[in-house]
Amino acid sequence: MAGSVTVQSALTQFLSTDSLDRHRRKVCSRLMDCRTARMGGMEMRCDHCKARTVHYYGCRDRHCPQCQSRASQQWCERQRRSLLPVPYFHLVFTVPHALNGWVQVHPEVVYRRLFESVWNTLSQFGHTTKHLQGELGMTAALHTWGQNLSRHVHVHCLIPGGVLTEAGEWHEAKHQYLFPVRALSRRFRGRMVSSLRRSVRTGELHRLTEPQAIDDVLKKVMQQDWVVYARPCLNQAETVVDYLARYTHRIAISDGRLLSQDGGRIMIRYVDYREGGRQKSLQLEGAEFVRRFLMHILPKGFMRIRHFGYLSNRTRRRKLTAIRQALQKPPEVDVEVKNGSESQRSWPCPRCEDGVVYMVRQIPRFKTVGRVTG
């Protein structure tokens, strides 16, 4: 009989830790413990109806479908201060599937080279395009999955429509798609392949041990057309951060896309972009679903959201001030309002709606015997 399913319940039921490294075991342990007694929490009581409730803490892991909504909201609030009153462009750079085997054995190297190659490509176009000739800014987010949880490595980039010149002037982008997609694709392909060859020479890709096979793969991908996707510019600055947040904090699959579980099989919903965005469903064995999910756990400490150019953390404040001066549009005053009820760990009672619930005690976290912790 079919029943409801979540990523947490699927991991709890089908995860096998025999072949997992320590990092993945810890991530899975956090996801399985999220919002359960094992994480600890707070006991709350309403000052009006005296009802008592328990709220367990989230794990805050970046791979957790239960915790990413709040993380996305907090990220949006921080990024709004960096918005410019200009159009924005959305570009996507995709790695050919022929390199998926390299990603499997050296994910941290390939992902790092991917970010470098994307920025190198766009930065060069920003400096050499005749009507621009300056420094671009970019916020980029790495995705490693396709809609059916297969490996599909790509980077989403959000770019303000213009450059900052060395003279402190702002040169606005004049085209609907920022740069020609075909030219971007060829430049990106060349940069990425050259970067990977350099990684082979320096020993960073040491798990690839057959020189002829390495050369064959790189020659093969150089003969392919690499996919670069560009969306028209976004003209409403108020929606830009919300738009990017859908990509920056998206995980491989959310609980909302899990339709049902029937015995040992899980049904998921996905979009088939090859058929015009048609909604489809796919049934996977529980162990296969978990295997695909685990493919998209990022290397420990790897930053999947990065800022470049005049949006880089080191120079953002100074260069954004220069851009706004060039645009003659000072930033809006950002008044930070602190939520008093949150600081007191209290909020309106959801039961009686007349009282306020307050924390009466902390519930300590605990680990059950046998829980996977690495």
Side-chain angles (χ1 to χ4, degrees):
M1 180 177 179
S4 60
V5 60
T6 63
V7 171
Q8 186 179 53
S9 67
L11 289 174
T12 302
Q13 185 172 355
F14 299 110
L15 177 67
S16 173
T17 62
D18 295 341
S19 59
L20 290 186
D21 57 43
R22 183 175 182 179
H23 172 56
R24 282 182 170 81
R25 290 201 302 269
K26 285 189 173 182
V27 170
C28 291
S29 179
R30 286 193 289 266
L31 267 57
M32 289 187 288
D33 290 349
C34 184
R35 303 187 192 282
T36 70
R38 289 184 294 271
M39 290 299 296
M42 302 179 292
E43 183 179 353
M44 314 295 292
R45 183 176 64 184
C46 175
D47 63 359
H48 181 73
C49 67
K50 307 303 180 184
R52 287 178 177 261
T53 55
V54 173
H55 297 270
Y56 294 120
Y57 297 134
C59 66
R60 298 187 181 182
D61 192 280
R62 58 179 170 173
H63 303 94
C64 179
Q66 298 189 84
C67 294
Q68 286 309 293
S69 176
R70 181 178 180 183
S72 176
Q73 181 181 3
Q74 292 173 338
W75 184 87
C76 282
E77 293 171 356
R78 293 194 301 270
Q79 295 302 313
R80 289 186 195 281
R81 292 189 287 271
S82 300
L83 276 181
L84 292 170
V86 299
Y88 279 71
F89 296 84
H90 178 199
L91 285 79
V92 184
F93 292 78
T94 302
V95 173
H97 289 178
L99 292 172
N100 281 351
W102 294 26
V103 174
Q104 181 174 349
V105 295
H106 282 291
E108 66 286 351
V109 177
V110 179
Y111 296 159
R112 186 172 66 251
R113 293 305 189 188
L114 173 57
F115 273 115
E116 292 172 358
S117 299
V118 168
W119 174 241
N120 189 295
T121 298
L122 290 169
S123 179
Q124 184 166 5
F125 271 75
H127 280 100
T128 59
T129 300
K130 185 176 181 180
H131 69 278
L132 292 176
Q133 297 186 341
E135 182 183 33
L136 283 172
M138 179 179 80
T139 295
L142 172 70
H143 284 190
T144 65
W145 57 86
Q147 278 280 307
N148 61 0
L149 282 183
S150 60
R151 182 173 277 120
H152 179 65
V153 180
H154 55 286
V155 170
H156 290 268
C157 309
L158 195 72
I159 304 169
V163 300
L164 179 64
T165 68
E166 293 183 358
E169 299 176 341
W170 174 257
H171 289 179
E172 183 179 354
K174 297 180 180 179
H175 302 295
Q176 188 179 10
Y177 289 94
L178 191 61
F179 301 122
V181 170
R182 189 170 182 82
L184 282 175
S185 174
R186 291 176 175 177
R187 177 71 67 178
F188 169 53
R189 178 184 61 188
R191 292 294 181 184
M192 186 68 180
V193 171
S194 296
S195 181
L196 290 174
R197 286 193 184 277
R198 187 166 61 253
S199 293
V200 171
R201 291 195 302 270
T202 59
E204 289 183 290
L205 299 172
H206 58 88
R207 296 187 184 95
L208 303 176
T209 58
E210 299 181 14
Q212 187 59 51
I214 293 172
D215 197 52
D216 289 344
V217 169
L218 294 179
K219 286 181 178 178
K220 176 182 178 181
V221 297
M222 275 299 293
Q223 295 170 357
Q224 298 175 347
D225 290 330
W226 287 36
V227 177
V228 175
Y229 171 77
R231 292 198 64 170
C233 60
L234 308 171
N235 291 309
Q236 296 184 0
E238 305 83 26
T239 65
V240 166
V241 171
D242 294 330
Y243 177 86
L244 184 61
R246 299 206 305 267
Y247 297 94
T248 55
H249 287 80
R250 184 176 290 176
I251 61 172
I253 191 166
S254 63
D255 288 341
R257 287 179 52 208
L258 305 186
L259 299 178
S260 63
Q261 178 179 340
D262 189 356
R265 296 185 176 185
I266 296 174
M267 184 79 72
I268 69 173
R269 184 182 72 249
Y270 73 99
V271 177
D272 191 339
Y273 291 108
R274 295 182 179 180
E275 295 190 11
R278 182 181 175 187
Q279 292 272 354
K280 292 185 176 181
S281 59
L282 173 67
Q283 191 173 61
L284 298 171
E285 294 291 339
E288 173 62 13
F289 171 83
V290 170
R291 185 192 72 82
R292 294 192 185 192
F293 182 82
L294 294 179
M295 284 196 306
H296 309 296
I297 292 180
L298 295 172
K300 183 179 180 180
F302 188 87
M303 295 177 61
R304 63 181 296 262
I305 305 171
R306 303 190 181 194
H307 306 278
F308 298 85
Y310 54 71
L311 293 179
S312 64
N313 294 330
R314 182 182 301 177
T315 61
R316 177 189 296 139
R317 180 176 298 180
R318 174 173 57 84
K319 291 186 176 181
L320 287 181
T321 299
I323 292 172
R324 292 187 176 107
Q325 289 175 348
L327 291 169
Q328 297 183 345
K329 292 184 179 180
E332 296 181 4
V333 178
D334 184 18
V335 180
E336 184 178 357
V337 179
K338 294 185 178 180
N339 190 324
S341 62
E342 182 172 334
S343 64
Q344 299 174 28
R345 300 194 177 188
S346 62
W347 51 82
C349 179
R351 295 191 179 184
C352 68
E353 298 183 354
D354 293 323
V356 175
V357 291
Y358 289 90
M359 183 185 72
V360 294
R361 72 179 180 97
Q362 287 271 11
I363 302 174
R365 61 183 301 167
F366 73 91
K367 293 287 184 180
T368 57
V369 176
R371 169 63 65 182
V372 178
T373 61

